[in-house]
Amino acid sequence: MHSTLQFGRFNYPWRGEGVRARVMGILNVTPDSFSDGGSYQSLEFALSHAEEMIEAGVDIIDVGGESTRPGSPPVSLEDELQRVMPVLYAVRDLGPAISIDTYKPQVMREAIIAGVDMINDINGFRAPGAIEAVRDGDCALCIMHMQSDPQHMQLAPSYSDVVDEVIGFLRERINALLAAGIDPRRLCIDPGFGFGKTVEHNYALLKATGRLIDELGLPLLAGLSRKSMVGAVTGKPVEQRMAGSVGGALAAVARGALIVRVHDVAETVDALKVWQAAQ
Ligand code: 8Y7
């Protein structure tokens, strides 16, 4: 049984000796934060945000060109490539590992050529051609669970047993990737908090973090930063969810998560250092 995650240029132990939780910082390159996505100005903005995260001790930078918030419309292949590719080339040699948040096979191919260390697919490599696009190479592959699609997923999330169903889905996707000859050391799982889930579903999955890791035998990434599951228990709007999100990240790591995907890198890095020192 393997115990390290092959992460492109990096190698992360995820069980046994030497495990350290990793902080993935979110770098959105979408025109909701910028009126002219794809321009020089938005590249400069993305780079200064990346440098801020590096200063704060980020391990992985997750570059995304399509907003996957509930109800968001899809972005064309051309627009997504125009947004993310200049950023990937600009950040790949700054020190941290680089991840691309995409479900489009053509973006995956271009990102691999650019040297990304992880493909983060909210769609679990279900798009036709996705598995072929990532088969060769050594970048990590994050397989996330989502019920329905970003435009409809929060309308009526429904499960008979959310933990069993997420495990079943992830197992099927893992098997599809392994059947294509992909090295299991490249795989990482994610329950997909907020992707077709109620607050109760999200907490059932957070509590089951250890079970997901044990039953599927793979390292786990948790992304709950600023999500509604944080708002639901704090009663806070999205711009006041930093401390709640740090609490959620610690809870995930305490239950065995290897990677936490966050907006607030400096605060999460500090919290994890203190938590680690107390281990
Ligand atoms: C997640 C994610 C988002 C997550 C992984 C948001 C791209 C929504 N959430 N990727 N992406 N896991 N792997 O609020 O939970 O950040 S977008």
Side-chain angles (χ1 to χ4, degrees):
M1 265 212 291
H2 71 284
S3 52
T4 63
L5 173 61
Q6 178 63 48
F7 209 91
R9 298 165 290 173
F10 302 83
N11 224 304
Y12 298 151
W14 62 273
R15 59 181 166 192
E17 292 298 299
V19 176
R20 178 172 71 77
R22 312 285 161 158
V23 175
M24 169 185 270
I26 300 166
L27 186 60
N28 282 323
V29 197
T30 53
D32 13 32
S33 52
F34 249 84
S35 52
D36 56 351
S39 75
Y40 179 71
Q41 202 183 21
S42 66
L43 177 61
E44 287 295 288
F45 182 79
L47 266 178
S48 74
H49 186 197
E51 269 152 17
E52 188 183 301
M53 294 198 286
I54 292 167
E55 195 68 32
V58 78
D59 296 296
I60 305 154
I61 296 175
D62 188 38
V63 178
E66 173 167 335
S67 174
T68 38
R69 277 187 304 223
S72 303
V75 170
S76 75
L77 172 63
E78 292 67 31
D79 283 353
E80 190 175 336
L81 285 171
Q82 252 183 44
R83 286 181 200 168
V84 301
M85 292 313 299
V87 176
L88 291 181
Y89 280 102
V91 299
R92 66 174 180 180
D93 293 324
L94 297 181
I98 305 303
S99 161
I100 176 75
D101 153 22
T102 190
Y103 56 82
K104 294 190 181 76
Q106 199 54 39
V107 177
M108 296 177 187
R109 288 184 185 275
E110 296 288 336
I112 287 171
I113 291 168
V116 294
D117 302 291
M118 172 182 253
I119 312 277
N120 175 26
D121 184 358
I122 61 158
N123 201 32
F125 301 92
R126 284 180 288 175
I131 293 180
E132 292 71 20
V134 303
R135 185 170 47 211
D136 302 323
D138 62 1
C139 61
L141 305 171
C142 183
I143 310 168
M144 199 193 80
H145 173 271
M146 167 169 57
Q147 186 175 77
S148 183
D149 59 75
Q151 294 198 70
H152 308 97
M153 63 193 182
Q154 289 310 105
L155 297 179
S158 159
Y159 301 86
S160 55
D161 183 313
V162 67
V163 176
D164 285 348
E165 284 181 50
V166 167
I167 289 175
F169 171 88
L170 292 173
R171 180 171 286 129
E172 189 272 322
R173 297 316 302 152
I174 292 162
N175 288 338
L177 289 157
L178 295 180
I182 290 170
D183 189 329
R185 285 171 295 196
R186 295 173 62 195
L187 304 183
C188 167
I189 52 168
D190 184 338
F193 295 118
F195 284 84
K197 283 133 195 144
T198 63
V199 169
E200 289 70 30
H201 294 143
N202 288 324
Y203 281 99
L205 286 165
L206 181 55
K207 291 179 193 172
T209 296
R211 211 186 122 195
L212 266 68
I213 296 166
D214 290 346
E215 289 199 21
L216 296 168
L218 292 174
L220 183 144
L221 186 156
L224 48 77
S225 185
R226 299 185 188 171
K227 287 183 179 175
S228 62
M229 64 189 290
V230 175
V233 298
T234 58
K236 298 279 178 70
V238 67
E239 67 278 6
Q240 292 170 33
R241 294 180 186 165
M242 188 265 281
S245 299
V246 171
L250 282 185
V253 169
R255 293 185 181 279
L258 176 69
I259 302 170
V260 284
R261 182 178 178 276
V262 306
H263 298 88
D264 302 294
V265 172
E267 293 80 2
T268 309
V269 165
D270 281 359
L272 281 171
K273 279 182 180 164
V274 175
W275 181 82
Q276 187 63 46
Q279 282 303 103

